[in-house]
Amino acid sequence: MRLKFLTLFISVLAMLCAGSVFGGVTGKITGEMTDAETGEPMIGVTVAVQGTNLGAITDLDGMYNILNVPVGTYTLVISAIGYATVEVSNVHVSADLATYQSQGMSSKATDIGTTIQVTAEAPMVIKDKVASVQIIRAEELLAMPTRGFEDVVAVQSGVVASIQTFRGGNRSNREATNGPELFIRGGRPSEVAYYVDGFSQQDPLTGTSTGNISNNAIKEVTVISGGFPVEYGHVTSGIVNVITQSGGDKLSGTAEVVTDQKYDQNWYSATLGGPIPGLEKGHFYGSVERRYMGDRRPSAITSDVLPESPDRLPNNWLSGWSYTGKLDYDITPNMKVALGGNASIDRWSRYQHSRLFENEHNAYFDDKNHGMNLKLTHTLNAKTFYNLSGSYFVTERFSGDGMHREDLWAYGRPDGNPTADNEKLFRQWDDWMEGVFDSIDPSSGDSVFFTATPSGLDTVWVITDTGTVDGTPWADSTEYYFFIGDESQVYDDYVRRKSEYIGFAGDITSEISREHTLKAGFEFHRHTLRYYQHLRPIYVWQGIHSYGHVNRYGYDEWGNESDDEDWRNEAKNPTDFALYLQDRMEYQGLIVTAGLRFDVFDYKGLRLRSEDLPLDPDSLQFDADLTNDTLTQSLELEDFEDSEVFTRVSPRLGISFPISDRTQMRVSYGKFFQRPNLQDLYVGYSFMEYQLVGSGYYTDWGNPNLKPPKTTAYEVGITRQLGDNTSFDVNIFYRD
């Protein structure tokens, strides 16, 4: 009774906790056991995964399957009455794939009672690969001259990496990223989905990922560039799935220091994992990394930029931290719960050549990512198990001027933004206030006095009353703010954004026969999105109420997070829901995965009832000479209607079959849908009203009528093993 109650409690807890897009984090081990002398299949052989509760017994045909094996490297212990025990080490399991391990067993009298040691070798041909999959394991990753999983992915086949350069415009929807932008098979960077331990690490607002994981905390990185299984949604180009390390039965840890003197690039990391003290069936793992780079992207071509720093770009630095943690506990031999989390903080500046002489005002970014996930795994029997998983993820960004940062007042430039060219003879309003106040004659009635100085400004002068300054009359009771001290060109953009999601996911897998393994699942997410952009912060001195410069929702007019805004500027809460079903069919080496996915996208936005008459959609016609006084000049809630709810069905098919023991061929087909970047769907309606009524320049804003992008993809691939350590892989694909 207590066990049933505990099972129910944890199941409900997992569902009530947040959930996420769910990606694969387990695989299976399968194979055939035969008599080494006769070659006949063996019945009743026990195959156990050492150090775990996982195992199986061979059937009438000598076959066995061990399902739901976490990614990692294991030792198999194989035993049968009248035969020597066999231990097979170095058996590696990858996400969403099967590891084939067949073994002949000896019944010789000289072998009985002994243990035969066997070391498994990584296969050059992955038999059940129905898609383009590339796997980078921990030992390979640590041997590569890269830092971070994005750099590792960037050198894989089919991936193109682009280091962003600043494009000049401040209001582009294309997000700046600290690491390389990844383009997989020609798709946009936002079409790549990123997962850590199966949970999405992507900002739904922009489609980018700014998370960072220490190299020492990574167990495996999987890159899928075509033929995605039905469990993966919201992706049309590629998948990057990072599996992190877990604690073992023994206490162990690592420490690493990487530093140089030339480019000032530094990494300090430490890990520790093992059993939880006092909790026999519990384990923990933790990782922390500190990184600092004086120049984020060193290059030989930067040697002559500045003589005083001949090998580094000025103000191109990064300062960051990464954290990873895991706790897992075996409630019963068949039930396990795991709690995990990761976080990263990166503050960085980007060098801009146009600001060579004022690089302290380079664009500055502050990225934060925090995620927590909870997962319950319950094995009902040797052929059926289910997962209930949940997570909470939040990502934030601030971007603005490198000197003034979050201090919005300090961006003000009443006389316009001066030039950044330090070589001009006279710079705009260079010390122009000097001498002005000396000419004020107090006897004339002029009045000059100090007021409270906003943070970040050296001085604010307020001139009131009537009179003249240098012969120029001042209007009565008018206040003029003069900024003295920082005369350089400010980075004229100010952005805050925050997106978080909460939800739950679950799946069940059952091997209903040797030929068929069914998997069904669901997922639900509710997002909370906030956005604030002051497009021209140099005009902040005019007053923050200049809505023509401020696009916001979920923030107040000063850029502070707020839930007290009315319908015009409240936070956005889109939801999405999905169901999927997949059958994995295996018959004499032929493997077929056929699945169907059903998605529901509800943007929960407001769209204009009339794009021709947005301010007065009930008017029959527009009065061209503007003499119709009945036309309103403001947006009201009745001018809008709810956005459309989109439903989509995605069929997926993958086929893998052997041509020989060294050659495998595969074919895949699928339709893939992805919600648009949510930043492209929404707008603050105060900002929209201002632009509709009196905008004097072009600007764009979100449109909740955007349909989910669709990609139809076909692929044919072949893998050929050329030698013991060499294979050749080629893919032909078509994407529409």
Side-chain angles (χ1 to χ4, degrees), residues 255-293:
E256 180 186 30
V257 175
V258 178
T259 184
D260 73 354
Q261 295 298 316
K262 185 174 183 179
Y263 297 111
D264 194 21
Q265 297 212 341
N266 311 275
W267 289 268
Y268 313 95
S269 62
T271 67
L272 184 65
I276 299 176
L279 203 59
E280 182 181 353
K281 298 179 181 179
H283 302 85
F284 77 94
Y285 179 84
S287 167
V288 61
E289 179 177 82
R290 164 67 172 151
R291 53 190 171 275
Y292 179 80
M293 302 171 211

Side-chain angles (χ1 to χ4, degrees), residues 43-68:
I43 306 171
V45 177
T46 300
V47 184
V49 182
Q50 193 176 73
T52 73
N53 296 319
L54 301 171
I57 298 176
T58 58
D59 60 16
L60 295 175
D61 297 314
M63 303 296 297
Y64 74 96
N65 277 327
I66 305 176
L67 304 177
N68 200 33

Side-chain angles (χ1 to χ4, degrees), residues 119-137:
T119 301
E121 295 183 0
M124 300 302 298
V125 177
I126 301 176
K127 296 181 180 180
D128 66 332
K129 183 170 70 172
V130 297
S132 295
V133 179
Q134 298 171 81
I135 301 169
I136 306 97
R137 295 169 183 165

Side-chain angles (χ1 to χ4, degrees), residues 300-456:
I301 65 174
T302 65
S303 58
D304 296 324
V305 173
L306 287 179
E308 59 267 29
S309 56
D311 297 312
R312 305 174 194 168
L313 287 175
N315 244 321
N316 198 46
W317 55 269
L318 178 143
S319 177
W321 291 86
S322 294
Y323 310 92
T324 304
K326 247 182 209 182
L327 297 172
D328 59 79
Y329 179 68
D330 294 338
I331 303 171
T332 71
N334 296 322
M335 185 180 294
K336 178 179 180 179
V337 63
L339 176 67
N342 64 82
S344 66
I345 301 171
D346 280 306
R347 296 182 175 93
W348 52 287
S349 178
R350 162 173 286 170
Y351 171 75
Q352 296 166 242
H353 197 65
S354 61
R355 299 176 181 273
L356 176 61
F357 300 107
E358 291 183 343
N359 58 73
E360 68 275 7
H361 287 282
N362 286 354
Y364 166 80
F365 301 86
D366 186 345
D367 294 323
K368 299 183 180 72
N369 298 270
H370 307 277
M372 293 289 291
N373 56 75
L374 178 68
K375 180 179 178 181
L376 171 75
T377 300
H378 187 193
T379 302
L380 300 177
N381 53 56
K383 297 183 181 296
T384 304
F385 68 92
Y386 68 86
N387 296 295
L388 291 174
S389 63
S391 75
Y392 168 79
F393 180 73
V394 57
T395 178
E396 300 179 69
R397 162 168 283 191
F398 168 78
S399 64
D401 181 82
M403 175 178 287
H404 301 307
R405 301 190 181 181
E406 290 90 347
D407 188 356
L408 184 57
W409 265 110
Y411 288 67
R413 295 293 184 272
D415 203 37
N417 213 9
T419 177
D421 188 351
N422 200 47
E423 297 178 337
K424 288 199 172 184
L425 182 60
F426 297 106
R427 300 182 61 191
Q428 190 175 356
W429 61 295
D430 182 34
D431 290 332
W432 73 282
M433 292 296 298
E434 225 174 273
V436 171
F437 294 104
D438 293 339
S439 65
I440 296 176
D441 182 2
S443 63
S444 67
D446 300 332
S447 175
V448 180
F449 58 93
F450 291 101
T451 64
T453 304
S455 172

Side-chain angles (χ1 to χ4, degrees), residues 680-700:
D680 298 335
L681 302 178
Y682 302 115
V683 63
Y685 297 113
S686 297
F687 176 76
M688 174 186 276
E689 178 183 89
Y690 185 96
Q691 298 299 329
L692 289 173
V693 173
S695 173
Y697 61 90
Y698 167 80
T699 188
D700 56 357

